[in-house]
Amino acid sequence: MKLSRLFSSTSLPVHSIASAKELHGHLIRTHKNSDPYAISDVIRFYSLFPTSLHKALLAFNQTEQPALPIWNYVIRGISKSDRPIDALHMFDRMRQRGLRGNNLTFIFIFKASIHLSDIVFGRAVHVDVMKLGYSSYLYVCNALLYMYGSCGDLASARNVFDEISERDLVSWNSLICGYSICNRYREVLDVFASMQEENVNADAVTLVKVVLACSYLGDFDTVDSVVRYIGDNCVRIDVYLGNTLIDMYGRHGLVTLAEEIFAKMEERNVVSWNAMIMGYAKAGNLTAAKELFDKMPNRDVISWTSMITGYCQVNRFSDAIALFQEMMTIKVKPDEVTVASVLSACARLGILDVGKAVHEYVRQHDIKMDIYVGNALVDMYCKCGSVNIALEVFLNMRKKDTVSWTSIISGLAVNGFHDNALQLFLQMLGEGCKPTHGTFIGVLLACAHAGLVYKGLEYFESMEKLHGLVPEMKHYGCVVDLLCRSGNLNRAFEFINLMPLEADVVLWRMLLSACKLHSNVVLAEIAANKLLQLDPDNGGNYVLSSSIYATAERWDDAMNTRQLIDEGTVQRPPGRSSIEVDAIV
């Protein structure tokens, strides 16, 4: 068949990019590409796909006096592109040509306004809608309603909703989405209740927003009613609704309910599996999480990271590192969360070689060095004793938060760099970063190890007076340690008695150990009696008391104390140690 016969009518429908290109080429060769009637289908089809949008614009610009439908094709295509601002420019250009637009034009412009969060332009177009009489068109009202809700003008969204005489499901969902976007979760549930009162059947889109609202509000009664609603109304649990339910149940430790939803889903994606794994990890059931992980048809970086962070949460740091090494073997690139979790595991186990290897991997593979990775590196190097590298990482961090400062201050203090720790604390305050309870533990430790008694007490008193931080048991423990290390045992004892909190076994054990060191038998007996009252089953307390008596040559008391261990139900905790061999602890 000759090409001239094939294109004897330029109104033939276009069904593919290939046919659009063929027709476009024919129109160019026959000099009809400027004819708005002839080129209309070509522009329409080009505008449907981002990859051919530039062709639509080229054809459009060569068209003489484009009709309104052609303007709409182009505005629709641009509104969905990565430059929705150009859709608004095209709309202005159209009006300059004397065309005012129709219901479809306004729907596309409202969508472009949503992408740009340009409520000012949206409001101006709303005026045009009312002037031209399109405010009675349901689809236009729904688009306008969604635009206001997405841009945060909930009052206008509600007004538009209330003025719609015959609402459809899209109207209700648009209002619910607006409230959800603005975190107005109570209103989401109120609108859903109104839907039920008016016998409007909700769909999966509605229920996703309702479940999210319940999750944030902790309203599990409504969630139960939503699940019953799904069953009673035969609502299909698609991947979005299913994933939302699984995530909500998993976050709140309701794994059994999450399992039920997972089993009912006809279609699952990787997000479904990941949500279930995270639910198991949240509940501490890493065995079930690993079984599901092993069954996954496809895994992404979130799958691996969920397992690794899950192991870290239950202190199975060796398993976390082993899984990370497996992840590296099969060439799955970790993200910042993975790296921070593995570095945390290395810090807890003191595996410096693996930590260094992870750090080098971050450098070589352009993994984003965000504040969480930076903090994890500082913590890891400090806990592994490489303070100089930790300080280098800290100083090179572009952004620092309270955790960054606390990690380096505490790390320096524990590793014996007391002066540096206190200097950094003053620098932290000078830069306007507010210290936390953890920061002051590091500061007080530095003072204790450096023997700065008065400075330490001054910092302790400043916690509440200057920074509004009420001291906790750990801070009182640091002060007791500070006083005991300096030999001020009587002052330490007075401090314990004046505490607003009831001293725990750690504080009394500190005092008892200091009494042994300084041969203060009188205070030792008081501390020992307190310990035996608070922690009678700990054999270490009896051994320490007996040792003090023996040092003072009170052999009968030493023997009697040791006999208490044999006569009672005192547990002698077994000794434990660990070593690293080939990056395995």
Side-chain angles (χ1 to χ4, degrees), residues 184-388:
R184 298 274 289 272
Y185 301 114
R186 181 56 60 191
E187 284 87 343
V188 169
L189 300 187
D190 291 341
V191 175
F192 178 60
S194 298
M195 282 182 71
Q196 292 176 294
E197 290 173 4
E198 296 193 21
N199 296 317
V200 178
N201 290 327
D203 63 0
V205 175
T206 323
L207 299 177
V208 164
K209 300 302 181 183
V210 172
V211 171
L212 284 172
C214 293
S215 180
Y216 281 104
L217 296 172
D219 189 346
F220 298 110
D221 291 336
T222 302
V223 172
D224 292 339
S225 70
V226 167
V227 174
R228 287 195 298 273
Y229 183 94
I230 291 170
D232 294 342
N233 293 274
C234 300
V235 178
R236 179 176 172 270
I237 302 179
D238 63 13
V239 288
Y240 302 105
L241 178 56
N243 293 348
T244 304
L245 283 166
I246 291 170
D247 180 68
M248 188 275 300
Y249 282 137
R251 286 179 185 274
H252 293 88
L254 304 170
V255 186
T256 304
L257 296 175
E259 288 174 334
E260 293 176 6
I261 298 297
F262 186 77
K264 289 178 182 178
M265 291 175 67
E266 298 175 5
E267 179 187 355
R268 305 183 188 116
N269 58 14
V270 69
V271 178
S272 318
W273 293 82
N274 289 344
M276 200 67 232
I277 288 171
M278 286 187 275
Y280 282 129
K282 175 80 173 178
N285 189 351
L286 270 299
T287 302
K290 188 61 165 63
E291 287 177 0
L292 198 65
F293 176 81
D294 292 337
K295 291 177 184 176
M296 286 185 73
N298 297 295
R299 304 185 190 115
D300 61 7
V301 66
I302 297 175
S303 315
W304 291 89
T305 302
S306 299
M307 280 302 308
I308 290 169
T309 55
Y311 280 135
C312 290
Q313 287 167 4
V314 296
N315 298 328
R316 289 173 59 176
F317 303 110
S318 296
D319 290 328
I321 292 173
L323 191 62
F324 176 74
Q325 290 170 331
E326 182 184 339
M327 179 182 179
M328 292 293 93
T329 302
I330 63 174
K331 309 297 183 184
V332 178
K333 185 178 179 180
D335 61 10
E336 300 82 29
V337 180
T338 325
V339 169
S341 299
V342 172
L343 289 171
S344 174
C346 293
R348 294 297 293 269
L349 295 175
I351 306 180
L352 180 59
D353 289 344
V354 176
K356 280 185 174 180
V358 174
H359 190 187
E360 187 61 28
Y361 183 92
V362 169
R363 288 171 174 158
Q364 292 179 355
H365 292 81
D366 296 324
I367 294 177
K368 184 181 177 183
M369 187 74 169
D370 64 11
I371 197 166
Y372 303 103
V373 173
N375 290 345
L377 280 168
V378 170
D379 183 58
M380 184 274 296
Y381 280 123
C382 283
K383 285 179 177 171
C384 292
S386 298
V387 184
N388 290 332

Side-chain angles (χ1 to χ4, degrees), residues 453-473:
V453 177
Y454 293 105
K455 197 70 176 173
L457 292 173
E458 183 181 322
Y459 282 131
F460 177 78
E461 291 176 2
S462 74
M463 281 185 65
E464 193 165 5
K465 289 181 179 178
L466 299 181
H467 304 285
L469 298 171
V470 178
E472 298 172 350
M473 187 63 73

